[in-house]
Each structure stands twice: as C-alpha cells, then as structure tokens.
Amino acid sequence: MSTTVHNYVGGGWRKASASDSVPVTNPASGTEIGRVPLSSRADVDAAVQAAKQAFPMWRATPSPVRARVLFRLKALLEEHKEKLAVQLTKEHGKILAETRGEVQRGIENVEHACGVPTLMMGDTVEEISRGIDSASWRQPLGVFGIITPYNFPVMIPLWFWPYAVATGNTVVLKPSEQDPLTHQRIVELAEEAGLPEGVLNVVHGGREAVESICDHPDIVGVSFVGSSDVAKIVYTRSAAAGKRAQTLGGAKNFLIVLPDADMDATLDACAGSIFGSTGQRCLAGSIVVGVGDAHAQIRERLMDHAASIRIGDGLEPTTQMGPLISGAHRDRVRSFIDKGVAEGAKLSLDGRGATVEGLEDGYWIGPTVFEDVTPDMSIGSEEIFGPVAGINRANSVEEAIAMMHANRYGNACSIFTNSGRAAREFRYQAGISMIGVNIGVAAPMAFFPFGGSRQSFFGDLKAAGSDAISFYTDQRVVISRWSTAPPDPHNLPKS
Ligand code: NAD
C-alpha cells in the first residue's frame, strides 16, 4: 500500500500545493510504499507563518512545562520503539538491529533535551563593579529551519528539533524526501505528547523547499545534515540571508590499525564500521590502514569476514546487511567500483553482481574490498557511502596519518592499539572531530557535540550536547545597578 505524505502545518496535516511528487520505496523489494510532495515556496511559507505565530505562546510556556512534553514524547517513543524500527527498516532497508539502535539513539536526544531547565541556565557574577551585578540569560530566537538526510531519518531530526523546541523556539522541519514515513509517525507521537500546534511543522520536498528555508526572512537559523556540497550551499545561502547556520556534511573515515591491537576485536569494530548500515553512515569506516605487520593480519580477517556477510531483507533475522536506499544510489556506488578498477586499485572482493533470490528488484550491492587505494583515486578521495572498503599498508603511524590528512573530509577516524601512548599521540595529531580509540563508529552520545571538521562541517556550534543549547539560544547579558549607596571599599573588612 502506498501512503501519500502530507505536510504538517499549524497542528494539522495539509496537502502540499505542489503537484510534483516522488516515490518512497522499500529498498529491499523496489516496491513503492509512499509518495512525497515536492513542496513549493508557498508551502514553506505557510509552515513558517504557523511557526511564527506559535512562537510567543511557546516562548512564554515555562521551561519545565516544555520539558514535560518531551518527557511524555520519550515515553511514547519507548512504547512504540519496535513498531518504529520495523517501519524504518521497510523504508530505509537497514537491518532491524540497526533500526532499533537508531530509534534508541533518537530517544536519547529527547531524553537529553528534557533537562532543558538546567541546560538553559545562564551565568551570574555579583559586584562586577561597585554595586553592579551582571547576568546572562539564554533566550530562544524564533523559527528555526531543520533539513535532514536519508541515512538516519529517525535519529537526525531528533538531533535538532527536541533541543530547538525545548529552548522555546518553533521549527520547520524538512526531512529527506527518500524516507520520511517513520518520522511522520514521530510527529503524531509529539502531538499526542501535547506539543502545541505550530511548534513543530513539517514540509516535505527537495531543493526548492530547502532553498526557501535558507532564504526565508522569518527563519532565524538553519540546522542541516547531508552531503558536503549541499552543506556548503546551505551554509553560505543561509549566512547570506543573515541567519546562523550549522551544516554537517559528508565523510571519508580512516581506521588505523597498529600491530599491537587485539586483532579479533579490531576486526569486529572495523567490519561493523564499514559494512554496518550498508556503509551509509557518516561515521562509516572507508579506508583501513594497517601499520607494518598489522596490515597482513587485518587484511586476511577482513577479507574472510566480508565474503561471509549475508545480504537480504533487513526484516529477516538472518540478514546481516540490507540494500542501499535507491536504484540511483546503487548505480552511483557501482560506478565508484568501476572507477576504482579503471584507476588501478586492486579489486579483491566485488559486490557489483550481488542479488537476493525473490527480491531481484531490490537495490543490492555486496561487500566490496579494494587494495592499494591511493589518495588521487576517486575511491581514495570521495565519499562512496556504500559497503566498499579500501585496505592500505603504511610503514608507520605518521605515514597512516598523512594518508588520512590527504583527504578533504574530517568527520571521524579511529586507531586500534593497546598502547595508551600511541592513542594519546593519535588524538593529538588527528585534527579530526570524532575520534575512536578501539572503537569503529566514534558516535558521540546526545550529551556531547556531534559534528566534524574540515569539509565535513560548516559552522562552529555542532549538533546535540551543550552546543545545541547555544545554537538555539542567544545569550542576553544584563548589567544591573540596584544599590543606591555603594559600599566604600576603604571600610570593607580585609578578608
Ligand atoms: P543530500 O545532501 O543529498 O540531502 C540532504 C538534504 O538536502 C535532503 O533533505 C535533500 O532533500 C536536500 N538536498 C539534496 N540536494 C539538494 C540541493 N541540490 N539543494 C538543496 N537541498 C538539497 O544527502 P543524503 O544523500 O540525503 O544523505 C547522505 C549524506 O549525508 C552523506 O554525505 C553523509 O555523509 C551525510 N551525513 C552526514 C552526517 C554528519 O554528521 N556529518 C550525518 C549523516 C549523514
């Protein structure tokens, strides 16, 4: 059954004015399960006006009362966790264990945002001058635009909007047009939790909706996650319109293995990082660099493991890796593999011909492994966003770090070692924002900031953690003199 998705504006589901729409498919079967409107500027404006109208009421709602709505949402998300995970597998394709994990990570952000009365506290200093005190108050700013990608359609919107609304702002969310169905259900749950009309609005669409959000004079700031080229456009376009912006982009993550690492645990971590979610994570490992003797050890284990991965429908309990999101993305990943071969890398495991019996129309690519990948090759420099690994050898950690630094991205990286000294040195030299030490997916939890550096991130305040509170508020500093007769310092006690 195909569901037509509507926008959510001012507390009601509204048909978009746009006549164009795109399909949502189950990536395991290629079957259409929904249609998403490509909303127009007028649709975005309607959502912004609803959000603008709701702002004074919501801002005036005491922060503990706002937090209570989120507490109720957290409870509802927990109650519906399994159903959400199943629905998410149907529209995204990743396996049930992964969608359960994603829903859990989303809930943790709602949970963190529940602490808003404490998180929003300002600073105070008494007697900054004689009889004068100073305090800062964190205040919400108005309507925020939030634009999210397809790869974590439950969790990534929850990196943003719970914090934005907890701090007293109102929101226009533009989810990915490729898999927006599960988050529709979360919006229904937010309504059930008591989120008043107009506080959270959803507009579906693609480029026109995104550009309208960047340009709209009544939107004060934009949070974005997606590929780096679009992240840069959204960052510059939003800034040109006078808004604050945080835009998280793509990645090419290196996993560096030292000879003293525990190789079996390292294999589990690296394989999970590279092939988990079919490689469609911004924290996915892309190039494994074995230093010295580590190379042969990790290479052999990774090759064996990759060849044994069972692909299939993510709802089947025996499936270890699901399909890619779409036929277009599968073709893009295939063309990267073609280019890797043409550019001279050694293709040691080829996933291009993969298929699943009974699901031949699914968007399949099997685990793929290249060796001898150099930074000038497209598979060595670009984000592939599929289950494709490169395995390289370096003579030293310094050489491995130099390979990593030859890349324009700076989202995540990991080192595998039993040496605290090597790990410390790596942390110091990496120059990359999310660092794993014996961890394959270095994902900060909700109370730490999430985001990269270099071409993986544009802005300064990242997603979640205390950065989210700073991004969605302005610090208003008040300097007060209430004392009519300031004390004479010469008469003050000595201590
Ligand atoms: P994408 O850039 O294609 O789309 C992201 C959003 O931008 C979507 O809502 C989409 O509708 C919109 N969009 C797409 N093209 C646009 C254009 N030309 N102009 C304006 N808006 C446009 O990204 P995706 O394919 O949905 O997601 C995968 C990407 O997201 C990967 O590059 C991945 O690394 C990145 N990502 C990054 C992080 C992070 O934390 N840095 C997290 C998750 C995903």
Side-chain angles (χ1 to χ4, degrees), residues 381-458:
S381 58
E382 296 302 316
E383 178 181 43
I384 302 172
F385 225 52
V388 180
I391 308 181
N392 283 353
R393 187 180 188 285
N395 289 318
S396 63
V397 187
E398 291 73 23
E399 193 186 331
I401 292 175
M403 282 180 193
M404 181 170 91
H405 284 170
N407 194 269
R408 71 180 173 123
Y409 294 106
N411 214 41
C413 60
S414 296
I415 191 164
F416 296 88
T417 179
N418 271 313
S419 159
R421 185 176 178 172
R424 183 191 185 277
E425 188 61 19
F426 181 72
R427 186 188 73 211
Y428 188 80
Q429 299 291 348
I432 283 176
S433 308
M434 294 179 275
I435 301 176
V437 176
N438 299 317
I439 297 282
V441 180
M445 286 195 71
F447 29 88
F448 282 100
F450 196 115
S453 52
R454 299 157 70 116
Q455 294 292 303
S456 294
F457 178 69
F458 305 95

Side-chain angles (χ1 to χ4, degrees), residues 8-11 47-48 50-51 170-174 197-203:
Y8 183 70
V9 178
V48 175
T170 55
V171 163
V172 174
L173 169 67
K174 206 299 288 170
E197 60 187 46
V199 173
L200 172 65
N201 304 273
V202 183
V203 176

Side-chain angles (χ1 to χ4, degrees), residues 183-481:
H183 216 89
Q184 292 284 91
R185 181 71 192 116
I186 292 178
V187 174
E188 288 171 0
L189 295 177
E191 190 180 272
E192 197 180 326
L195 198 65
E197 60 187 46
V199 173
L200 172 65
N201 304 273
V202 183
V203 176
H204 293 286
R207 184 172 176 168
E208 183 176 345
V210 171
E211 290 178 352
S212 310
I213 288 172
C214 298
D215 299 342
H216 202 294
D218 290 329
I219 290 183
V220 295
V222 173
S223 302
F224 171 93
V225 182
S227 52
S228 282
D229 290 349
V230 182
K232 198 167 183 178
I233 292 168
V234 169
Y235 185 70
T236 49
R237 196 161 175 147
S238 301
K243 304 179 199 320
R244 51 175 70 184
Q246 49 174 193
T247 73
L248 287 71
K252 184 96 188 158
N253 305 315
F254 283 66
L255 308 172
I256 296 177
V257 185
L258 303 196
D260 68 354
D262 174 338
M263 286 299 161
D264 291 336
T266 299
L267 167 72
D268 285 347
C270 289
S273 176
I274 295 162
F275 302 115
S277 242
T278 323
Q280 300 166 103
R281 287 190 191 125
C282 69
L283 297 177
S286 181
I287 306 273
V288 180
V289 185
V291 175
D293 295 346
H295 173 256
Q297 296 187 57
I298 193 68
R299 179 197 174 279
E300 192 188 334
R301 284 172 170 80
L302 199 62
M303 288 297 304
D304 287 349
H305 178 92
S308 76
I309 292 175
R310 277 187 306 278
I311 63 170
D313 185 341
L315 292 177
E316 293 296 330
T318 52
T319 300
Q320 294 173 313
M321 193 174 91
L324 290 171
I325 185 72
S326 64
H329 188 50
R330 177 205 49 210
D331 295 346
R332 184 176 174 275
V333 174
R334 270 189 196 152
S335 78
F336 265 116
I337 302 174
D338 296 343
K339 272 191 258 176
V341 173
E343 287 169 351
K346 181 178 163 204
L347 181 58
S348 302
L349 184 66
D350 184 357
R352 284 175 294 185
T355 189
V356 173
E357 206 184 321
L359 293 170
E360 287 79 6
D361 292 333
Y363 312 131
W364 308 109
I365 286 271
T368 298
V369 181
F370 277 105
E371 294 185 72
D372 308 327
V373 177
T374 56
D376 55 316
M377 295 175 181
S378 48
I379 57 163
S381 58
E382 296 302 316
E383 178 181 43
I384 302 172
F385 225 52
V388 180
I391 308 181
N392 283 353
R393 187 180 188 285
N395 289 318
S396 63
V397 187
E398 291 73 23
E399 193 186 331
I401 292 175
M403 282 180 193
M404 181 170 91
H405 284 170
N407 194 269
R408 71 180 173 123
Y409 294 106
N411 214 41
C413 60
S414 296
I415 191 164
F416 296 88
T417 179
N418 271 313
S419 159
R421 185 176 178 172
R424 183 191 185 277
E425 188 61 19
F426 181 72
R427 186 188 73 211
Y428 188 80
Q429 299 291 348
I432 283 176
S433 308
M434 294 179 275
I435 301 176
V437 176
N438 299 317
I439 297 282
V441 180
M445 286 195 71
F447 29 88
F448 282 100
F450 196 115
S453 52
R454 299 157 70 116
Q455 294 292 303
S456 294
F457 178 69
F458 305 95
D460 53 357
L461 294 168
K462 297 183 175 173
S466 57
D467 275 22
I469 305 299
S470 299
F471 186 74
Y472 294 122
T473 57
D474 190 33
Q475 289 203 69
R476 310 260 154 93
V477 180
V478 180
I479 302 150
S480 321
R481 188 205 308 268

